[in-house]
Amino acid sequence: MPTYTMSVEDINDLIAYLKRLQKDFDPGLKEKSIRIGTILPASGQTAIIGQAMVEVMAAYFEDINSLGGIYDRKLKLIASPYETAGQSALADAARLMNEENVFAMVGAVIAGADREIAELAEDKKVPLIGPFTFLSADPDALNEFTFYLSSGLSEQVRALVEFAARELKLDNPRIAVLGPGDDHQKDLQTAIEEQCQTHEWGAVAGFSFAPTPADATAAASALKRQGVDALFYLDFRGLKTLLEAAEKINWRPYVFLPGALVQKEILGLPVGFQDKIYLSYPTLPSDQTPSGVSEFQTLLKKHQLSVNHQTLQISALVAATILVEGLKRAGKDLCREKFIRALEKLYEFQTGLT
């Protein structure tokens, strides 16, 4: 250590700090507890989903605590509901990080404010584990504190391009992207274009589309004239209307879309599109092991939880499982930095459900 000339007052302050250093914990961390936060919608159709997710995480933490917690620290889940998506979710996440003194956040429903909340976690240095979202982080941004469970839509459309090239053997197809014309479509179109460039394919054309019969007829005719033979569809609605119009003019392109955007109408698409439609998903049923499914079902039964939203319940449980694994690997002398490093080293960790 360097030698300094210090006043008696400064030396006394330094000694006082050294005496308390062992108990100078990160926010949300105490000798006997770890505060973990989550945010979830409180109203609308997604309120039931949020409630189902938080119940599963609370039940899992209760079981962990009954076995002594993590190195004798009990997990305390702080659930904070927000009224609407988007800015409301962002404001609630900010309040949770600033006022509720949480060590980390887990399984938060951040759809609608996806990248803004990831940026907030980065700014506040609050680990965010397994947020429920359709988007991953901005690929050009430094992202040290948010850990996603699975690929977002950007990675999924890239996978579809790879499938078209490697499995369908498409050779420089004429590609169009249809969607609502918002910023999300622009981001996904950029991802598609970048992946197409790796195969030296031509330009990708983007169009906004309103799911009405008149617009569907006009769009189908225009795309057929342009020779489009591969279509990326990026909207929740209107696919059936569009493909019915395409069927009438005998235009049957390959159609690619992320599974998260699929609606029940896909079961009623024109039969001429059989073997023409391909979906991407971040996980598959085959990812689940018998023991993992059994443990999940046992947890639900033990805590008398319903199985109305199983996919999202599994997402929440896996997020909580990974958080707990990170805490264990970080060790008894816990801090956020050690926790982050432990998660960064997590590789091929089997949850039994993903």
Side-chain angles (χ1 to χ4, degrees), residues 289-303:
T289 64
S291 61
V293 172
S294 176
E295 290 175 6
F296 172 64
Q297 293 174 341
T298 299
L299 180 73
L300 296 183
K301 185 176 181 180
K302 176 182 177 181
H303 295 273

Side-chain angles (χ1 to χ4, degrees), residues 303-320:
H303 295 273
Q304 300 181 340
L305 303 179
S306 65
V307 200
N308 293 332
H309 303 282
Q310 182 169 315
T311 300
L312 297 177
Q313 288 174 314
I314 286 175
S315 175
L317 178 58
V318 169

Side-chain angles (χ1 to χ4, degrees), residues 48-69:
I48 299 176
I49 294 174
Q51 186 62 31
M53 293 174 70
V54 78
E55 286 176 352
V56 166
M57 291 190 290
Y60 177 67
F61 287 169
E62 183 179 327
D63 284 358
I64 294 293
N65 289 339
S66 69
L67 299 174

Side-chain angles (χ1 to χ4, degrees), residues 25-30 34-35 97 101-104 126 336:
F25 300 124
D26 280 345
L29 192 61
K30 295 185 178 180
I34 307 172
R35 289 170 65 87
M97 294 180 190
N101 200 37
V102 295
F103 176 78
V126 177
R336 282 177 175 168

Side-chain angles (χ1 to χ4, degrees), residues 120-131:
L120 178 67
E122 193 75 28
D123 181 59
K124 300 296 182 182
K125 302 189 183 306
V126 177
L128 175 57
I129 317 303

Side-chain angles (χ1 to χ4, degrees), residues 37-39 97 103-110 114 117-119 121-122 125-132 144-148 323 339-340 343:
T38 190
I39 60 172
M97 294 180 190
F103 176 78
M105 292 180 63
V106 64
V109 180
I110 67 172
D114 319 71
I117 291 180
E119 290 171 0
E122 193 75 28
K125 302 189 183 306
V126 177
L128 175 57
I129 317 303
F132 179 73
E144 186 180 10
F145 286 84
T146 302
F147 292 81
Y148 299 94
L323 175 130
F339 178 58
I340 290 291
L343 288 174

